[in-house]
Amino acid sequence: MTPTTLEEAETAWSSVFGDGRLPLDRLRRNLDAMMSETPVPPNVPVTSDTVADVPCLRVGTGTRTLVWFHGGGYVMGSPHGYRAAAATLSAALDAQVLLPDYRLAPEHPFPAAFDDATAVLTALSADDTLIAGGDSAGGGLVLAATSAARDRGAATPSAVIAVSPLADFTASGDSFTTNAGTDPVISARALRGLAASYLRGHDPSDPRVSPLFAAFHDLPPILFLASDREALRDDAVRMHATARAAGNRGALSIHPDACHAWTLFADLPQARRALAEMTDFVNGALP
C-alpha cells in the first residue's frame, strides 16, 4: 500500500529495517520492495542507458534533464526501485530523469560512488538545462560531486536539490540527539554502520564523503529540504547556512510534519507540497 499519511510512511520505513539485525541482501530487497509499492504510470517511458560507463535508467520526458542520485546509505537503493519516484519528479519538473546505478558498498567502498557520480555529472555538463538532485545518501553525493566539479573548473548543474541529505559522516549535528526518538530511519548507530561499510577507515570529514565540510562558493542555487523530526535535519540546516554565507542563492525548507526523505511517498500531502517547492525553485533557477 502506498503511504498517504505520515504514520503510514514511517511504518513503511520501519518495515524496511525490521529489528535492525537483517542481512544486507534482505535490506536491499526490502527497500526496493517499499519503493516499488507505487506503480510507474503506464504512459511513462523507462529505458536503459549508460553514461560515462555508469548504467542508468531514463524515466519520463521533458524539456530539462534531472540527474537524481538515489538514497540508501551507499549500501542500498537502486534505479529500479526509484522508477515511480522519478516519474513523479519528471512530471513536476518537466524533466527527463536520469537515475545512475552508482556502485554500492561494501562491494565497492569509497570512492566508487563518488567517482561514478562525478563521471556522470561531467559527461552531462554541457547541458544547460541540467538539474541535479538526490535524497539521503544521494543528497550528500550530489553535493559532493557538484563541489568537486567546481573545484576542477568544470561546468556545474544549473540547480541542485538535496532532500534529507546525508552530508556529515561525523554525525556532529545536534539533531542526531534531539530527534533520536522521532526518526525511524537514521541514527548515530546506523550511521556508524554505514561508515564502516562505505568508508572502510577513510576520514569521515573528507568533503567527498561529508560535503558539509566542502567550500560553497561559486555553486549553483541549492534547495535543501529536510524534516524537522529527522536525525539529518542539521546537516541541511548547517549546509544551507554555510552556502548562504558564501553567496549561494538557494533556499532551505524544513517540514514539521514529515519524515526522512518523505518526498519519495508521492501520495503524501507533505510530498506534494515539497514537490511544488522544487518546481518553483527550478523554474526560478532555469530559463
Side-chain angles (χ1 to χ4, degrees):
M1 180 181 69
T2 303
T4 59
T5 67
L6 175 59
E7 292 75 17
E8 289 174 354
E10 290 182 333
T11 297
W13 275 124
S14 296
S15 71
V16 170
F17 299 101
D19 62 2
R21 295 191 293 269
L22 297 177
L24 181 56
D25 61 342
R26 176 68 180 275
L27 291 171
R28 288 172 171 172
R29 291 196 302 270
N30 285 355
L31 180 56
D32 274 1
M34 182 193 79
M35 296 292 297
S36 299
E37 286 286 328
T38 302
V40 180
N43 62 329
V44 175
V46 179
T47 58
S48 299
D49 197 359
T50 300
V51 177
D53 295 325
V54 179
C56 303
L57 288 183
R58 291 187 181 270
V59 180
T61 59
T63 62
R64 302 159 171 161
T65 302
L66 169 63
V67 178
W68 194 266
F69 296 100
H70 68 76
Y74 295 98
V75 300
M76 298 180 289
S78 73
H80 178 81
Y82 268 65
R83 291 172 301 160
T88 299
L89 288 166
S90 173
L93 302 180
D94 182 27
Q96 182 180 76
V97 181
L98 185 75
L99 297 170
D101 192 10
Y102 62 86
R103 289 169 290 172
L104 299 178
E107 297 91 341
H108 303 283
F110 175 81
F114 173 81
D115 286 347
D116 288 350
T118 54
V120 169
L121 289 187
T122 298
L124 299 175
S125 62
D127 185 348
D128 60 8
T129 73
L130 182 65
I131 314 158
D135 60 279
S136 195
L141 188 56
V142 71
L143 293 163
T146 301
S147 297
R150 183 272 323 277
D151 291 344
R152 295 195 312 273
T156 59
S158 296
V160 173
I161 300 170
V163 178
S164 298
L166 168 52
D168 175 18
F169 265 99
T170 71
S172 61
D174 289 342
S175 51
F176 270 96
T177 300
T178 58
N179 289 343
T182 57
D183 190 332
V185 184
I186 302 292
S187 66
R189 177 176 176 270
L191 193 60
R192 288 193 295 271
L194 296 176
S197 292
Y198 180 51
L199 301 185
R200 297 283 184 87
H202 187 78
D203 180 4
S205 65
D206 185 330
R208 294 174 296 172
V209 298
S210 294
L212 174 68
F213 304 110
F216 280 83
H217 62 85
D218 300 321
L219 290 179
I222 306 168
L223 173 61
F224 295 97
L225 297 108
S227 162
D228 189 45
R229 298 160 52 90
E230 67 174 314
L232 296 178
R233 180 197 64 202
D234 287 352
D235 284 25
V237 170
R238 292 178 295 163
M239 291 185 76
H240 171 68
T242 301
R244 291 289 288 179
N248 194 269
R249 298 183 293 108
L252 169 70
S253 181
I254 301 296
H255 286 241
D257 56 348
C259 60
H260 176 72
W262 74 99
T263 58
L264 299 176
F265 305 107
D267 289 341
L268 285 181
Q270 299 93 319
R272 290 194 289 270
R273 290 196 293 271
L275 282 167
E277 289 180 307
M278 293 183 199
T279 301
D280 290 344
F281 174 76
V282 168
N283 288 343
L286 275 70

